[in-house]
Amino acid sequence: ALQDPWTTAHVTIGDAFAHRTGLPRAAGDLLEDIGYDRSYVLGHLRYEPLNPFRVSYGYSNYGLTLGAEAVAKAAGTDWATLSQQQLYGPLGMTSTSSRYSDYLARSDRATIHAFVDGKFQALFQRDADAQSPAGGVSSNVVDMAKWMALVLGHGTVNGTELIKADALLPATTPQVVNGPPSSADVRAGTYGFGFNVGIQPGGRTTLSHSGGFSSGTGTNIMMIPSADVGIVVLTNGAQVGAAETISSEFADLVQFGHTTRDWWPFINKAIAPTLGP
């Protein structure tokens, strides 16, 4: 339930995955930070004041988790099992899991590094099971490439249809404005169901997303559907913009044959507020 009964009665899974339920940015994160589990956090989202429904964008790990939990409940299972059955297994993603215990059980795994006092340091563990649908997946680039092939193939990979193209389309097309333009000559940023949907200077659409924890991970994916190409960058260092810089330079090289700007200072400045106290 959300604070407003009418919104509670009308909210959809799509609303949750597009972060347009009205929940404020990062709703529920602080409860997880002090140790509460998924059930407790989701049960207390009803106390969050809401922004206008479906016209407000507020990135919320627990808002998305709310939608994912609804899917798992309808399927009669839990999210980690459902994602394995419906996605990781069929795609042959043998090094991917939505359970933190599976990550810990792997003999070959990366240790996360926070960025403290100007250097990366292995200081913390990060069990993200409470918000697993949004940020609790462990994987590697080989498996993530298989997932990107599925998305770029409009739900079909190696000749096998895993998702109907018309069912996948809302995820990869704009559903809400997540970056209103600052002036009439600036493009708006938009969001699908779990994807940033952008337009490049050359006119091509890109699908992208970052993931990161200040305790020590920084990741990014970038796909250019019209070029049938994508890149995944996974790092075990806190999100300082390194992954996004690599993806942005790659996208430039694919489209223009050269980099269009010095991406690192631009992206690092944009991400800097997330590294504050």
Side-chain angles (χ1 to χ4, degrees):
L2 301 176
Q3 190 179 75
D4 175 54
W6 189 92
T7 302
T8 298
H10 289 82
V11 71
T12 67
I13 293 161
D15 293 327
F17 272 71
H19 304 289
R20 63 185 186 196
T21 62
L23 283 169
R25 181 180 180 273
D29 280 5
L30 291 178
L31 290 176
E32 182 197 2
D33 288 347
I34 58 176
Y36 287 104
D37 63 13
R38 184 187 306 178
S39 177
Y40 184 93
V41 176
L42 295 181
H44 285 71
L45 292 179
R46 69 187 67 194
Y47 299 110
E48 293 275 6
L50 295 176
N51 295 312
F53 182 46
R54 287 189 181 152
V55 295
S56 302
Y57 172 88
Y59 189 91
S60 168
N61 292 314
Y62 281 96
L64 189 147
T65 297
L66 186 69
E69 279 288 278
V71 173
K73 185 174 181 179
T77 186
D78 63 273
W79 175 262
T81 300
L82 186 66
S83 55
Q84 173 62 38
Q85 291 175 344
Q86 297 292 321
L87 185 64
Y88 310 148
L91 278 179
M93 297 173 69
T94 57
S95 296
T96 302
S97 175
S98 293
R99 293 187 182 90
Y100 184 66
S101 59
D102 291 340
Y103 159 79
L104 288 180
R106 299 192 192 281
S107 59
D108 183 10
R109 67 176 188 272
T111 299
I112 63 176
H113 288 66
F115 191 67
V116 180
D117 297 330
K119 58 183 178 181
F120 291 100
Q121 303 181 53
L123 301 174
F124 308 107
Q125 298 292 328
R126 182 61 169 96
D127 180 348
D129 277 357
Q131 52 152 288
S132 177
V137 178
S138 58
S139 189
N140 62 19
V141 290
V142 175
D143 279 7
M144 290 295 293
K146 296 174 182 177
W147 170 78
M148 285 199 300
L150 175 73
V151 176
L152 291 170
H154 310 290
T156 296
V157 63
N158 296 326
T160 300
E161 183 184 74
L162 294 183
I163 307 170
K164 292 185 179 300
D166 60 353
L168 181 60
L169 186 61
T172 57
T173 53
Q175 302 298 320
V176 65
V177 173
N178 68 342
S182 56
S183 66
D185 60 349
V186 175
R187 293 183 296 271
T190 61
Y191 201 86
F193 294 160
F195 289 94
N196 291 299
V197 183
I199 303 297
Q200 293 281 293
R204 294 182 186 266
T205 298
T206 57
L207 306 176
S208 66
H209 214 290
S210 292
F213 292 125
S214 58
S215 52
T217 59
T219 67
N220 182 259
I221 59 103
M222 172 87 74
M223 288 177 272
I224 309 174
S226 62
D228 194 31
V229 71
I231 185 172
V232 55
V233 186
L234 308 179
T235 82
N236 63 326
Q239 192 175 22
V240 296
E244 292 84 357
T245 296
I246 293 170
S247 293
S248 297
E249 291 182 350
F250 174 82
D252 274 354
L253 292 171
V254 166
Q255 297 174 90
F256 312 118
H258 60 86
T259 55
T260 59
R261 66 191 303 172
D262 185 358
W263 284 102
W264 163 248
F266 171 76
I267 293 174
N268 180 252
K269 182 179 179 180
I271 287 177
T274 67
L275 298 174

